[in-house]
Amino acid sequence: MSRIKCIIVDDERIAREGLEMLLQSDNEVEVVSICSGGLEAIEAIQNHKPDLLFLDIQMPGLNGFDVVSELDPENIPLIVFVTAYNQYAIDAFKVNAFNYILKPFEDEYFYEILEKCKRQIRLQKKDENIIKLEQLLEGVGQINKQASPKKFLDRILIKTDSGVQFVETTDITAIEAFDYYIKILTKTDRYI
């Protein structure tokens, strides 16, 4: 599986650096952008299309909820709010946040959340791949339906001593190997 693309958004430099340090220790995660504000975050999300977003809530200008509201609903990454304020937890889950981390937090707790995120992203990608495969197979099925069905021969042209003759396949009762030739037996005749 390709690495999980991640964006960090926090207006506090120390918080950004701390998250970056924790994420860099995981080989499955690639931090593709680090943002200090909401507008910058929206642009980075549109450009990088991350799988995972660690998002602060209280920031000058656009807050974390404003950022989420500006995103394309079809392409929202997995969101983990990272904030010092517990009063936003219910609102965070109303916008389909995957998790909510209160600052300050222990590294072990962060890594537990990160593992849950990675499992969820793997499941989502697996589901996306299954959907793509189903669509591909549906397309192949449509092509097969459009193609004309194979038609079997109704008759065979056989060379005889007197010229050529058509034999209806429904009249053939047996076909046998005969030296370098074949013998075709019908209800009334034999051909070599």
Side-chain angles (χ1 to χ4, degrees), residues 21 28 59 107 113 130 140 163:
M21 182 187 71
E28 294 179 66
M59 299 181 289
D107 292 357
I113 301 297
I130 288 170
V140 169

Side-chain angles (χ1 to χ4, degrees), residues 35 79 92 123 127 136 153 157-158:
C35 306
I79 298 171
L123 286 172
D127 288 346
L136 178 65
L153 295 175
L157 182 66
I158 297 176

Side-chain angles (χ1 to χ4, degrees), residues 53-115:
L53 178 64
F54 287 96
L55 181 61
D56 188 14
I57 292 178
Q58 282 199 343
M59 299 181 289
L62 296 180
N63 67 34
F65 296 116
D66 295 333
V67 170
V68 173
S69 71
E70 292 295 320
L71 300 179
D72 174 8
E74 298 294 317
N75 293 309
I76 292 182
L78 201 69
I79 298 171
V80 176
F81 282 106
V82 183
T83 183
Y85 304 96
N86 63 2
Q87 70 262 30
Y88 299 114
I90 292 173
D91 293 331
F93 291 109
K94 284 180 181 176
V95 296
N96 296 319
F98 182 73
N99 219 311
Y100 192 92
I101 300 176
L102 279 175
K103 299 179 203 173
F105 52 84
E106 299 291 323
D107 292 357
E108 294 79 28
Y109 178 70
F110 177 83
Y111 287 126
E112 286 175 25
I113 301 297
L114 181 59
E115 285 304 313

Side-chain angles (χ1 to χ4, degrees), residues 8-183:
I8 298 167
V9 184
D10 200 306
D11 63 325
E12 297 174 13
R13 182 186 53 81
I14 293 171
R16 291 190 304 268
E17 290 172 356
L19 287 170
E20 180 184 21
M21 182 187 71
L22 292 168
L23 291 166
Q24 284 180 338
S25 68
D26 191 313
N27 292 330
E28 294 179 66
V29 177
E30 175 186 9
V31 177
V32 294
S33 185
I34 301 171
C35 306
S36 60
L39 289 174
E40 183 185 1
I42 292 167
E43 184 178 335
I45 293 164
Q46 290 169 346
N47 291 337
H48 295 287
K49 302 199 180 343
D51 303 301
L52 180 58
L53 178 64
F54 287 96
L55 181 61
D56 188 14
I57 292 178
Q58 282 199 343
M59 299 181 289
L62 296 180
N63 67 34
F65 296 116
D66 295 333
V67 170
V68 173
S69 71
E70 292 295 320
L71 300 179
D72 174 8
E74 298 294 317
N75 293 309
I76 292 182
L78 201 69
I79 298 171
V80 176
F81 282 106
V82 183
T83 183
Y85 304 96
N86 63 2
Q87 70 262 30
Y88 299 114
I90 292 173
D91 293 331
F93 291 109
K94 284 180 181 176
V95 296
N96 296 319
F98 182 73
N99 219 311
Y100 192 92
I101 300 176
L102 279 175
K103 299 179 203 173
F105 52 84
E106 299 291 323
D107 292 357
E108 294 79 28
Y109 178 70
F110 177 83
Y111 287 126
E112 286 175 25
I113 301 297
L114 181 59
E115 285 304 313
K116 289 178 183 178
C117 291
K118 290 183 337 187
R119 275 194 303 274
Q120 182 64 29
I121 290 167
R122 281 188 215 107
L123 286 172
Q124 286 173 344
K125 288 189 181 214
K126 184 178 177 182
D127 288 346
E128 288 169 9
N129 288 336
I130 288 170
I131 290 168
K132 287 177 186 174
L133 181 59
E134 286 172 346
Q135 289 171 342
L136 178 65
L137 291 174
E138 257 180 38
V140 169
Q142 292 302 322
I143 290 168
N144 286 342
K145 286 178 187 173
Q146 292 171 355
S148 60
K150 290 187 178 183
K151 187 169 171 133
F152 294 101
L153 295 175
D154 294 327
R155 56 189 184 159
I156 298 173
L157 182 66
I158 297 176
K159 186 176 178 184
T160 63
D161 294 335
S162 61
V164 291
Q165 181 178 343
F166 283 104
V167 174
E168 298 293 321
T169 55
T170 54
D171 291 340
I172 297 173
T173 57
I175 299 176
E176 300 174 355
F178 180 70
D179 201 19
Y180 291 106
Y181 303 95
I182 59 166
K183 237 191 245 187

